[in-house]
Amino acid sequence: MQQISVSPVFVGRGSEITELTAALRRAGTGSPQTVLIGGEAGVGKTRLLEEFLQRAADGGAVTSLGGCLEVGAEGLPYAPLATALRRLYRSLGAELEAAAAGSEGHLARLLPEFGEADGEPNDEYGRARLFEHTARLFERLGAERTLVLAVEDLHWSDRSTRELLAFLVRTLHRSRVLLVATYRTDDLHRRHPLRPFLAELERLRTVQRLELARFDRREVAAQLAGILGTATPDRQLVDRIHRRSEGNPFFVEELATAFQDGFGAGLTDSLRDILLVRVEGLDEEAQRVVRIAAEGGSYVEHALLAAVLDEDEESLIEALRVAVGANILRPDSEGEGYRFRHALVREAVSDDLLPGERHRINRKFALAVEAQPHLVSSDVLPARLANYWYHAHDPARALPTALDAARAARRRNAFAEQLGMLERALELWDMVSEDVLAHTLRPYDWAETYPPGSRDHSPADADCDRIQLVDVLAEAVVAARRCGDRERGLSLAKRGLRLVDEAEHPVRAAWFRINRARMLGNLRRSGDDEEIAHAHRLVEHLPPSAVQAEVFALAAGVAMLKKPGPEHLELAERAIRIAEQVGAHSVEVHARMTLGGLRDDVQADAEGGLAELVGAVERARRLGVPDLLLRGLNNLSSAQRALGRAEEAARLAREGLDFADGNGLLRNIGTILTGNLVEALADLGRLREAEEVLAACELTSLSGTHAEFLDRMRGDLALLRGDLHTAATMLARARAANRVGQVQHSVPISRLAVRVAAHGGRPLEARAELLAALAEEGRPGQESDVYPLLVEAAGVEADSRGLPQAEAGRAEALAAIAAVAAELRPRVPLHHGWARLLEAELARAEAADTPEQWAAAVTALRPTGLPYPMALALLRAGEAEVRAGRRESAAELLREAAELAATRGDRPLGAQIAALAERAGLTLTPAERPAAAAAPTADTADSFGLTPRERDVLRLLARGWTNRQIAEELYISPKTASVHVSNILGKLAVGGRGEAAALAHRLRLFPDDLAPSGR
């Protein structure tokens, strides 16, 4: 272990060491932990970390430490993690290489020692893959023994580092990993980016936050005893140093050293004077070396420092020896460079420099690095050089190096740092001469389909490779979008539009417009349709281009989620033709996937749409673009399920999940693929398997923009189990997450809401949910989603028939259901089955249903092979046969319905089947009898204002019991029972006991107790 602090003794911090040791012990059991240590500068965070890491290493753990850089780090991503990995690489060697096997190309973006970076696109999906493979590396390293990864000075961290750390905290599972990070509390102003990061992590149960307090007088005395080498330091000295240091351990050390050196009497109370007193005690040459090292960065290489000083090696070594001996500088643990013992000292030395002196020193560093690039590691070279020139106040050199650093950051998938460097370039642009702009800048890098300014010139033109200001803005727009800073992206795109003459450069203007549209959509703001329409007008009559194809494809794709028409199908086809012509292969495949959906939606050509999707998926496989293939597998899985092919849908969803896992994209797109899989398994009646998939999803912390999908599925599965409370909770969560309100999510959520209200005995609430769903602007949704919603709602209206409170508005609700049904176009057996089922439910709501209608529904649904809605159709058909007096036929239908309900694990439906069979005197064999539903909640009949005793009476009345039987059961008098019955009839607004019992049966107020007791 490297020695970081001057104090030879470790004082206090007993409770903190205990907490850290406990976290280490929990991590050692395979439960990854995170500890965040905060405190003011100098309070002893580093000393505590040093002590703990030593103890952990002594106990057999593998430890590694990386620090965030204070200066010279702008645009340099992942610095502390790269440092920690480099130390692990040197200490573990072959073991680390084995853990990284298969991920080297991804991890090389963090650490060049892993080899060449892979050639995958530098986009947000590449960033997700980098994060995933980093997590896998640490999980593998922590598989057999505990790994402690420590990061110092998070308050200086770059955004990419914070996001990668947050990813690790959330996703490391079942591995022996402890993450420890320190940060300064006194640096966290109100808008500091670390504040939301800490708040977000603190909500996780595996994260613990410690705050270090200053030392009290007793602890200061113990610290002084260790520093001064005495058992009992002078009381007056302790009082004075405790008072002046206010218990800050670093200041205690500085004051103690000053006292030892004889400066105690002359010290002022100035913090900078306290920090500089030891520096000022050095000889002139050592002071000069320290001043130059302060501008080199938080860490400065020995060879680089020698090149900047350009003096005799022996003189440099002697000066460094003096600075290290005075405990101002300390050698790095690898022995290749130096750090200041404490950042406060570096800050004080730097602040003491004159402005011109600071600029001159930074210029020397820049010139040395330019002349000998090998002096610094290749992964930090672009950012270090850019920062030296920037702080040298030399715009002519700072601008080109900032652009180079931006490109290097993009290639490491560090989009926030790329954006920072591009914004620096924008700041410097007007400060440099035309000659600099013409001859020293790199060419345009990359911004998706954006047409760079170089295309405005012929190849013979001297300016053909020259990057323009608008090109920098385009790169910055993409960087902002990919790092999630969409507000900044909107502003940059608006600035780009101000620079572009739409008449002269319509394609470029259209590119900025569609990027604004994407970001407005991501932010859930209006205006995206207008931006797309504007872009469409700009490129409508132009020659083919990648931007034109992208505009058309985006317009068609957005329309597909709203209310598409034939014109959007033509637009998708046109996008495909243009993309093929100009070689925009990814745009072409995206457009083909959209076309597949539109063929189904607009032309009612389910098989044609499916074939288009299958072809697009195969093209995506050949292109080798992971996110494109995953979009195709996801869409294809959804399409197959919508056509009633749940088995194939489940297979495709599993293929997508496996591919996402293997390519580091599981936590990027895994949520929606998991939802597709669970939904297909539920359709197939494989409830236990569906629950296992959801449980595994919880363990891997899948989340994202489709969290509402998984919450809705949790609600659906809870309702199948008869757990009404959990279903209602999941419904509320799904609705809170479904801010976008896309019909693919909002319609199934509305269906769940109708079912929850119906099972809770609240028919009016169920009706309100239906009408709200049908009133939403835009198309109602796909047949596979809308038919179930309409059938559930029609069933509620049928069950509440005869309830006086439900009569008002009943006709309007049934008319609304019928109107929407008339717009639907059933195309496959599942749709036709739902349609027949809906016709029969609407007839039942009017007491006009016939056995033939239900038989038609059963016949239409049988080819689907799905247990639901087949079980519902069989139940209703059996009920109709009972009314028709055909008991044998009814029994056969109900037995099959019971088998399907049991197979699906549908307890409420099973309870309805059992209750009907027993009321009709029909027998279901024990093996076929489904499990009873969970008991209803206490508020099941609250909407009628029934008291608990009246609910007890109604339960027995629904069994057909007399007043005397009720009185005997409840230990009340027959007269009292009669009074309760009269009150119940009044509250239910029914005319007699039979009508009250029928109403209780229809509303399923007592689903677990509807059968006669046999009294």
Side-chain angles (χ1 to χ4, degrees), residues 33 84 446 642 663 684 879:
Q33 302 288 306
W446 183 82
N663 286 272
L684 293 166
E879 192 174 26

Side-chain angles (χ1 to χ4, degrees), residues 137 192 200 258 262 276 413 550 581 588 609 621 661 785 818 878 882:
L137 174 67
H192 196 288
E200 182 182 357
L276 288 178
N413 297 326
E550 191 172 21
Q581 185 176 347
E588 176 203 343
R621 288 188 203 278
D661 189 29
D785 292 327
V882 168

Side-chain angles (χ1 to χ4, degrees), residues 752-979:
L752 176 60
V754 168
R755 296 173 66 207
V756 167
H759 282 268
R762 302 186 297 277
L764 297 184
E765 183 180 322
R767 179 189 294 169
E769 292 284 1
L770 167 76
L771 296 177
L774 299 185
E776 287 184 7
E777 187 177 349
R779 67 175 183 152
Q782 290 188 339
E783 281 74 8
S784 58
D785 292 327
V786 178
Y787 269 128
L789 170 66
L790 299 181
V791 168
E792 297 283 357
V796 173
E797 295 298 333
D799 289 339
S800 62
R801 177 174 49 82
L803 180 64
Q805 294 97 319
E807 284 305 309
R810 172 182 160 78
E812 291 79 2
L814 292 173
I817 293 172
V820 172
E823 297 178 4
L824 301 178
R825 294 166 297 177
R827 301 183 291 285
V828 294
L830 179 61
H831 299 168
H832 288 290
W834 277 114
R836 300 291 79 77
L837 194 56
L838 178 58
E839 291 169 1
E841 283 287 16
L842 287 172
R844 186 169 75 94
E846 302 288 1
D849 58 312
T850 65
E852 292 73 23
Q853 286 177 307
W854 296 112
V858 170
T859 301
L861 286 168
R862 198 169 291 283
T864 68
L866 300 177
Y868 193 86
M870 185 63 174
L872 176 62
L874 289 166
L875 166 63
R876 297 294 181 225
E879 192 174 26
E881 291 296 298
V882 168
R883 291 199 305 269
R886 296 190 284 268
R887 294 173 53 80
E888 186 175 337
S889 173
E892 184 177 343
L893 290 167
L894 292 179
R895 289 189 190 105
E896 184 180 358
E899 289 175 358
L900 292 177
T903 297
R904 190 172 184 241
D906 191 338
R907 292 184 178 182
L909 184 62
Q912 289 185 60
I913 296 166
L916 174 60
E918 294 197 51
R919 289 201 308 272
L922 303 175
T923 302
L924 299 177
T925 63
E928 295 169 327
R929 184 185 299 274
T937 57
D939 64 346
T940 299
D942 279 357
S943 57
F944 300 108
L946 299 179
T947 67
R949 175 59 83 185
E950 288 167 349
R951 284 198 290 271
D952 293 338
V953 172
L954 178 58
R955 181 191 297 272
L956 301 178
L957 186 151
R959 293 181 176 182
W961 289 15
T962 66
N963 286 352
R964 181 173 296 280
Q965 289 173 319
I966 293 172
E968 290 174 358
E969 180 73 14
L970 300 180
Y971 300 100
I972 58 178
S973 69
K975 184 175 181 179
T976 301
S978 175
V979 172

